[in-house]
Amino acid sequence: MHRMLVDTAIARLAIGLDVTSSIGVPETFALHIRSDSFETRCRVVSRTERHIEVEFC
């Protein structure tokens, strides 16, 4: 399982994630935010070395 520390900016249908490295982040994945009891499937729509933008599936 791939885990990383992220800073998030959540919008209604999409999210931006600042990551330590986007290498190894799959094109689709499950996003879990335990503190908010939030879970959803995501699809990467753009990425840089340290940031990914995803939309909720």
Side-chain angles (χ1 to χ4, degrees), residues 34-52:
R34 290 183 186 156
S35 62
D36 293 330
S37 299
F38 178 80
E39 179 180 337
T40 191
R41 297 284 307 162
C42 297
R43 180 178 69 85
V44 175
V45 293
S46 69
R47 71 172 71 216
T48 64
E49 184 179 329
R50 295 185 181 214
H51 186 83
I52 57 175

Side-chain angles (χ1 to χ4, degrees), residues 14-47:
I15 189 169
L17 300 168
D18 292 323
V19 297
T20 53
S21 173
S22 66
I23 296 170
V25 176
E27 291 302 310
T28 61
F29 59 92
L31 175 68
H32 303 268
I33 302 175
R34 290 183 186 156
S35 62
D36 293 330
S37 299
F38 178 80
E39 179 180 337
T40 191
R41 297 284 307 162
C42 297
R43 180 178 69 85
V44 175
V45 293
S46 69
R47 71 172 71 216

